[in-house]
């Protein structure tokens, strides 16, 4: 789990912490949208929603950061923030 983020991150575009893209996921550091529509952390992090809702205001999310090799599960990601969505073909 300590290297999951590195394996999912794209090989370019990250602020000094590019990944290996070992599985073709190519996560790009898009940042996130804040409460007031502003964008933060472009180039520094990738933040994704999962399909698992915790409660009406929160859901699970996954975060990848330029300065970490891990992938962090956020069990209370606030739905008021904008995160990326990755669609996968079944």
């Amino acid at each position: 789990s300590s290297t999951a983020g590195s394996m999912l991150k794209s090989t370019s575009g990250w602020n000094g912490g590019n990944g290996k893209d070992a599985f073709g996921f190519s996560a790009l550091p898009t940042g996130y949208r804040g409460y007031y529509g502003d964008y933060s952390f472009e180039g520094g992090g990738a933040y994704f929603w999962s399909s698992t809702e915790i409660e009406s205001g929160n859901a699970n999310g996954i975060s990848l950061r330029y300065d970490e090799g891990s992938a962090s599960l956020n069990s209370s990601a606030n739905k008021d923030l904008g995160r990326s969505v990755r669609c996968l073909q079944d």
Side-chain angles (χ1 to χ4, degrees):
S1 64
S2 64
T3 61
S6 294
M7 298 298 149
L8 296 172
K9 291 192 293 188
S10 63
T11 58
S12 63
W14 291 81
N15 292 340
N18 292 324
K20 296 180 181 181
D21 194 22
F23 302 102
F25 190 77
S26 300
L28 297 171
T30 56
Y32 62 88
R33 184 189 52 81
Y35 292 105
Y36 303 105
D38 55 318
Y39 285 85
S40 299
F41 220 49
E42 300 100 316
Y47 302 88
F48 296 95
W49 289 117
S50 80
S51 60
T52 306
E53 183 179 59
I54 302 302
E55 57 189 22
S56 63
N58 296 301
N60 279 337
I62 295 175
S63 301
L64 308 174
R65 293 176 44 107
Y66 78 96
D67 57 349
E68 296 178 4
S70 62
S72 301
L73 177 63
N74 308 108
S75 59
S76 60
N78 190 312
K79 289 183 180 180
D80 289 336
L81 300 176
R83 291 176 171 251
S84 297
V85 175
R86 183 72 181 240
C87 299
L88 303 175
Q89 185 174 357
D90 202 4

